[in-house]
Amino acid sequence: MSQKDKINIQQLPKHIAIIMDGNGRWAKEKGEDRLFGHLHGVESVRNIVEGAAELGIQYLTLYAFSTENWDRPAYEVTGLMELLVETIRKEVPTLNKNNIRLHVIGDINMLPESARKELDEAIQETSKNSGLNLIMALSYSSRWEINTAIKNIAEDVKANKLQPEAINQQVIQQYLCTAEFPDPELMIRTSGEYRISNFLLYQLAYAELHFTNTLWPDFRKENLYEAILDYQSRERRFGKTSEQVKS
Ligand code: IPE
Ligand code: IPE
Ligand code: MG
């Protein structure tokens, strides 16, 4: 029996965020180059996007490249960018077939022109889709995002468009890259690392965290179902007592 049958469809997380980690170690285990791991990581992306869409998940955010990842060896960065362009180009028809809308969050200006162009087109071509929202975090980091938000808030205050007294949590949320999306209820990290690595620090305030030793290129729908079941076994208290939550 698949773990899928045990999932309570009435209590799915609306938004799942994933730190896709372990491509390099996966390749190394096989005596291959790191890029071989990234190439296979794309297979997992396909499988998980399909799995999330089938379940009826509304938002899926995938951490694909952090602002810190720019400091990796040049050949790896270039290889990843090429893989990105190629993958987007190939995947747009499938996204449209499955009613999936693509979004990107991150410091997009850092990306090579070819990648930006490919992304813009894919975002445009999938903009009418109303099923799963697939949010790719590219050249993203939470501290970069918060820094940008603070700058924009300060500018709007200076221009008299925003009064300091009016700044509250809803307003702050509107200045983040994720303004259009609800906060993730579930965050998954693969590869046995127990850290957040500058991912959605503000948005994950009350997310349930699921860590698995599975390396990203081995992660498949069954692993996603397991993570969702783990999420559904948690009691989400939001600061209240267990008794309060139950009544
Ligand atoms: C995740 O895998 C993909 C990216 C960060 C781009 P890694 O490349 O970090 O793989 P490990 O962690 O070195 O195994
Ligand atoms: C986090 O993975 C970023 C992505 C998955 C894109 P890293 O492999 O870069 O994180 P650290 O360096 O182990 O914290
Ligand atoms: Mg890593």
Side-chain angles (χ1 to χ4, degrees):
M1 176 168 148
S2 161
Q3 297 292 87
K4 190 180 180 185
D5 304 320
K6 298 186 196 155
I7 294 175
N8 178 353
I9 292 299
Q10 307 309 321
Q11 272 172 37
L12 284 176
K14 268 206 190 81
H15 186 171
I16 301 177
I18 309 182
I19 302 180
M20 309 185 288
D21 199 13
N23 295 353
R25 278 163 283 167
W26 186 89
K28 197 171 176 190
E29 273 177 8
K30 298 189 158 40
E32 298 279 354
D33 183 80
R34 296 180 58 82
L35 287 174
F36 184 73
H38 297 315
L39 193 65
H40 281 268
V42 175
E43 288 299 316
S44 303
V45 171
R46 264 194 216 110
N47 189 270
I48 294 313
V49 169
E50 189 182 277
E54 284 165 358
L55 279 173
I57 301 294
Q58 295 178 39
Y59 301 88
L60 176 68
T61 298
L62 300 178
Y63 201 8
F65 194 85
S66 72
T67 53
E68 286 78 18
N69 290 147
W70 289 113
D71 295 331
R72 290 195 178 187
Y75 96 93
E76 183 174 348
V77 172
T78 310
L80 272 166
M81 291 302 139
E82 279 167 9
L83 186 62
L84 174 70
V85 174
E86 198 186 306
T87 305
I88 299 165
R89 190 174 297 149
K90 272 209 288 231
E91 292 304 311
V92 171
T94 314
L95 294 178
N96 280 328
K97 196 179 108 220
N98 296 325
N99 198 20
I100 298 169
R101 181 171 175 187
L102 182 72
H103 307 261
V104 174
I105 57 171
D107 191 2
I108 297 309
N109 293 329
M110 294 280 289
L111 295 173
E113 172 68 36
S114 57
R116 275 207 307 266
K117 189 170 156 280
E118 212 61 56
L119 280 168
D120 282 346
E121 282 174 18
I123 290 167
Q124 193 51 45
E125 283 168 30
T126 62
S127 65
K128 300 275 188 313
N129 296 339
S130 57
L132 174 72
N133 288 283
L134 172 62
I135 304 148
M136 297 300 296
L138 285 171
S139 188
Y140 173 87
S141 80
S142 209
R143 288 186 174 183
W144 164 82
E145 173 185 43
I146 291 170
N147 186 332
T148 309
I150 292 172
K151 255 191 219 160
N152 291 335
I153 288 174
E155 271 169 21
D156 283 353
V157 167
K158 197 169 144 197
N160 237 330
K161 285 191 221 153
L162 178 67
Q163 301 309 309
E165 310 78 64
I167 300 172
N168 59 26
Q169 294 182 21
Q170 275 78 41
V171 172
I172 295 173
Q173 204 252 338
Q174 285 307 306
Y175 281 84
L176 299 174
C177 309
T178 51
E180 307 168 62
F181 318 125
D183 288 343
E185 296 99 326
L186 170 62
M187 195 285 286
I188 302 169
R189 184 172 188 149
T190 60
S191 87
E193 303 295 352
Y194 295 80
R195 56 178 171 268
I196 304 286
S197 301
N198 221 344
F199 186 45
L200 302 175
L201 299 179
Y202 190 88
Q203 297 87 337
L204 292 177
Y206 263 107
E208 298 299 327
L209 309 180
H210 175 87
F211 296 97
T212 168
N213 288 332
T214 304
L215 302 172
W216 179 250
D218 288 329
F219 197 87
R220 288 293 180 274
K221 289 177 193 177
E222 274 309 306
N223 305 92
L224 176 70
Y225 304 150
E226 249 165 59
I228 294 173
L229 284 172
D230 184 21
Y231 162 81
Q232 292 188 334
S233 76
R234 313 274 181 93
E235 181 178 64
R236 306 190 73 209
R237 291 193 286 277
F238 300 98
K240 296 192 175 132
T241 67
S242 184
E243 289 69 24
Q244 281 178 301
V245 172
K246 284 194 185 97
S247 72

